[in-house]
Amino acid sequence: MIEFTNVTKSYSVGTHALRGVTMQIEDGEFAFLVGPSGSGKSTIIKLITGELKPTSGTVHVNGYSLERIRKREVPYLRRTVGVVFQDFRLIETKTVYDNVAFAMRAIGARTREIRERVPYILELVGLETKSRRHPTELSGGEQQRLAIARALVNNPSTIIADEPTGNLDPARSYEIMTLLQEINNLGTTMLVVTHERDLVERFSKRVIAINEGVVVHDGMDGYYRL
Amino acid sequence: MKINNLGYLIKEGIRGIFLHGFMSFAAVCVTVACLLIVGTFSSLMYNLSIMVEDLNKTNEIMVYVDENLSDAEARSIGTYINRIENVQQATFVSREQALEDFVAEYGESNIFDGTDASYLRHRFSVTLVDNHLLEETTQAIRGISGVADISAAYELAEGFSTLQDVLQIASVVVVTVLLIVSLLIISNTVKLAMYDRRDEIAVMKMVGATNGFIRLPFVVEGFILGMLGAAVAFAAEWIMYDALVGRINAVDSLKLFSFVPFTQMMLPMVATFAAAGLFVGVVGSWTSIRKFMDV
Ligand SMILES: Nc1ncnc2c1ncn2[C@@H]1O[C@H](COP(=O)(O)OP(=O)(O)OP(=O)(O)O)[C@@H](O)[C@H]1O
Ligand SMILES: [Mg+2]
């Protein structure tokens, strides 16, 4: 569960990225987070992953209280939250398979577990035939699938995607969003940041709209106003 | 840390070395260069100090015995000289022996032809434990009754003592400075290698790897690099030393210099190189990675 209560965040004196955000996303939910550029979407994600601490208010994520989390607890919080970025952040020197396996090794998984789980995840995102390629030999949509596979492989209870379709054409964007929905259907909480109004309306899921650091709309019908 | 990760760590460490081949090569080269300089310098120092010690041993004091004493009386003075604390060895040289030595030394010329031993005095050749205390010791020997005169090469002895002191201080200073410089260079090299892998570190942080786990492959990498550097430096040092000594001995027909064989310095050198390689590799990588941990 993700729970923000009266959260404010100021980067320095004067820049108020968030000005009192309150919202709650239940386990297993699918929600879009929308808003214009500079409205505070990425700031919310960084607060969820423990990259930033709130200036005031409380942030609870999967049982951790982020406003007072200890440094050495942050890795364990992050194992419950998979993050997908618009710019993928893949390791170009590693193959598709190794990019995914690397995320498992990073948290000390056994080789046998890795051998079993990586092919399963690659099949889930539709990359099973490209496991020996390198990221540069993949299309944009395939790279995004790989980034999703990596976020998924350690079986986090929550996945957060920051503009996962920003670089893709509409057809590819729709495929990626469908994939995220399928993953959500398997039980993973999904929070998707996007600019693409068409896509949001097509999926008619919960939409949290944010503008200038405050929540201006929170509804279930896929429609929103800013 | 689970034991099943050990294989992973070593594999990652080795993989890192090959993946970032140029950086690794640079790091090893720097280690080798620094250790070679330190090693060459220390072995020169060691040889010089041994040579100085050898020279010191030949730097003896002559104690002349009163010519009115009988042979037996003259010999008995040796007991008193040996009792003085700083005296290492007092050897009796009879006037006949002294003449023979002179003749042997200057055999070519005939300045001693027809010289009778009775022109000479009985004497003791005395070596000291510590040449710094030359003056005090000669004072003490002068106090023994029956001692007529003393000839000591004050200046030579003092020169040796000073040379030894200077060598000792210089070697400590130079070795310390070089070790610090090499640590800095290697830490910087490892830092660059780590910068090269910042993407991997960022991903590891993102998926929830602990700081300790992120560090370990790099520390293993640093350890392997340091050890590799130490091993290469040791082999190069051995080859270089033998070549250098061989060349000097070929030129130095007068045997002015005497070098100990490399094998005599081998054990301390292996220990020092291994310790330096370990220190530089592990400390270097450990401190560099700190910078990338605050994500
Ligand atoms: N590191 C930072 N230092 C200072 N100000 C920052 C920093 N990061 C973001 N901001 C400011 O905080 C506000 C919110 O930024 P944020 O990145 O959350 O926006 P966003 O909604 O993700 O925008 P976009 O859609 O363009 O990605 C902006 O005004 C931005 O300029
Ligand atoms: Mg953003």
Side-chain angles (χ1 to χ4, degrees):
Chain A
M1 193 184 66
I2 298 169
E3 187 180 20
F4 278 56
T5 309
N6 292 320
V7 176
T8 71
K9 176 68 196 177
S10 308
Y11 281 102
S12 53
V13 188
T15 51
H16 302 292
L18 299 182
R19 312 158 176 261
V21 169
T22 299
M23 63 173 190
Q24 190 168 328
I25 298 163
E26 300 294 338
D27 286 344
E29 235 187 313
F30 189 119
F32 286 113
L33 181 61
V34 300
S37 186
S39 56
K41 304 182 297 294
S42 294
T43 303
I44 286 177
I45 289 181
K46 286 176 185 161
L47 286 169
I48 293 172
T49 59
E51 243 179 278
L52 296 175
K53 283 202 169 180
T55 306
S56 70
T58 60
V59 178
H60 295 270
V61 177
N62 298 334
Y64 293 90
S65 297
L66 276 290
E67 69 280 3
R68 54 186 158 86
I69 194 169
R70 268 180 286 168
K71 236 185 167 168
R72 56 186 181 78
E73 285 180 325
V74 171
Y76 300 97
L77 159 77
R78 288 186 184 164
R79 293 178 193 191
T80 72
V81 182
V83 186
V84 181
F85 297 96
Q86 180 180 348
D87 60 357
F88 316 131
R89 304 201 189 170
L90 302 170
I91 299 167
E92 301 201 336
T93 52
K94 289 184 192 291
T95 62
V96 166
Y97 181 96
D98 285 335
N99 262 279
V100 179
F102 182 68
M104 287 187 79
R105 289 208 188 89
I107 62 165
R110 290 163 189 278
T111 309
R112 201 158 50 87
E113 294 174 83
I114 295 172
R115 283 205 198 109
E116 281 170 13
R117 182 140 176 97
V118 175
Y120 166 72
I121 294 295
L122 287 180
E123 196 181 330
L124 189 69
V125 301
L127 285 177
E128 67 274 21
T129 60
K130 310 199 163 150
S131 64
R132 283 157 180 271
R133 293 208 194 167
H134 283 82
T136 48
E137 298 161 342
L138 298 176
S139 71
E142 287 166 344
Q143 289 184 38
Q144 191 57 281
R145 286 166 188 278
L146 177 53
I148 292 169
R150 186 181 60 192
L152 201 58
V153 76
N154 289 326
N155 204 17
S157 61
T158 308
I159 285 196
I160 295 176
D162 194 354
E163 312 252 10
T165 60
N167 284 327
L168 307 178
D169 63 46
R172 249 28 76 196
S173 295
Y174 185 78
E175 279 174 21
I176 290 293
M177 216 53 95
T178 308
L179 174 61
L180 293 177
Q181 192 181 29
E182 280 164 8
I183 293 165
N184 170 245
N185 287 340
L186 296 172
T188 309
T189 312
M190 192 70 61
L191 180 63
V192 180
V193 173
T194 184
H195 271 117
E196 292 174 70
R197 185 181 285 272
D198 294 353
L199 215 53
V200 173
E201 289 178 353
R202 243 171 118 175
F203 278 83
S204 68
K205 297 281 187 183
R206 178 179 174 191
V207 182
I208 301 166
I210 183 168
N211 198 358
E212 292 183 355
V214 287
V215 175
V216 293
H217 173 93
D218 189 347
M220 299 300 297
D221 53 2
Y223 168 80
Y224 65 95
R225 243 176 322 109
L226 289 175
Chain B
M1 194 62 50
K2 279 173 270 160
I3 195 74
N4 69 299
N5 288 324
L6 201 69
Y8 159 75
L9 289 173
I10 293 169
K11 226 158 68 185
E12 277 295 291
I14 292 172
R15 192 184 64 85
I17 289 171
F18 286 104
L19 193 58
H20 306 276
F22 179 73
M23 293 312 301
S24 307
F25 181 70
V28 170
C29 284
V30 172
T31 319
V32 170
C34 290
L35 284 180
L36 266 185
I37 295 169
V38 170
T40 306
F41 199 84
S42 333
S43 56
L44 279 183
M45 282 299 168
Y46 180 68
N47 274 296
L48 275 175
S49 72
I50 283 184
M51 284 181 221
V52 165
E53 220 160 83
D54 284 351
L55 282 172
N56 241 340
K57 277 191 197 125
T58 64
N59 178 30
E60 48 192 14
I61 304 177
M62 279 301 167
V63 177
Y64 301 101
V65 180
D66 190 330
E67 62 216 45
N68 298 319
L69 296 183
S70 70
D71 286 8
E73 283 168 327
R75 276 177 199 276
S76 70
I77 288 175
T79 323
Y80 298 105
I81 299 176
N82 272 321
R83 257 181 222 160
I84 293 169
E85 203 166 322
N86 192 36
V87 168
Q88 193 174 53
Q89 178 76 36
T91 316
F92 182 76
V93 182
S94 69
R95 49 169 74 103
E96 292 78 16
Q97 181 65 44
L99 180 61
E100 257 173 52
D101 288 350
F102 280 133
V103 172
E105 198 165 341
Y106 303 99
E108 311 288 88
S109 66
N110 42 16
I111 51 169
F112 288 108
D113 281 4
T115 304
D116 191 88
S118 60
Y119 289 112
L120 297 171
R121 291 178 287 196
H122 291 308
R123 65 204 52 198
F124 286 91
S125 146
V126 179
T127 55
L128 303 185
V129 176
D130 182 358
N131 277 299
H132 290 93
L133 303 174
L134 181 65
E135 283 215 64
E136 290 87 328
T137 314
T138 51
Q139 290 294 343
I141 296 173
R142 231 179 265 284
I144 298 169
S145 73
V147 169
D149 200 5
I150 292 179
S151 84
Y154 285 102
E155 278 170 22
L156 197 60
E158 262 167 36
F160 282 164
S161 307
T162 320
L163 182 60
Q164 219 166 5
D165 289 350
V166 168
L167 280 184
Q168 233 157 41
I169 294 167
S171 65
V172 169
V173 168
V174 170
V175 167
T176 309
V177 167
L178 280 177
L179 273 181
I180 290 172
V181 166
S182 68
L183 180 70
L184 285 179
I185 295 174
I186 283 156
S187 158
N188 238 32
T189 314
V190 177
K191 209 175 277 179
L192 282 175
M194 236 147 250
Y195 180 76
D196 205 22
R197 296 172 74 174
R198 63 195 180 284
D199 290 351
E200 284 180 30
I201 296 175
V203 168
M204 291 180 92
K205 297 230 67 155
M206 195 177 78
V207 300
T210 58
N211 284 353
F213 192 82
I214 295 174
R215 256 194 212 122
L216 272 167
F218 292 100
V219 174
V220 168
E221 189 175 334
F223 169 81
I224 295 173
L225 287 178
M227 283 320 196
L228 207 64
V232 173
F234 178 75
E237 184 72 55
W238 194 339
I239 294 167
M240 245 175 60
Y241 184 86
D242 279 355
L244 192 76
V245 169
R247 191 152 299 182
I248 288 177
N249 284 341
V251 175
D252 178 27
S253 50
L254 290 174
K255 294 275 170 264
L256 286 174
F257 302 104
S258 63
F259 287 92
V260 300
F262 188 77
T263 43
Q264 191 177 320
M265 308 182 297
M266 199 153 79
L267 273 184
M269 199 166 280
V270 165
T272 311
F273 276 30
L278 182 86
F279 178 76
V280 147
V282 171
V283 172
S285 54
W286 190 272
T287 53
S288 323
I289 189 127
R290 210 162 262 270
K291 209 183 104 179
F292 292 92
M293 284 288 124
D294 299 321
V295 177

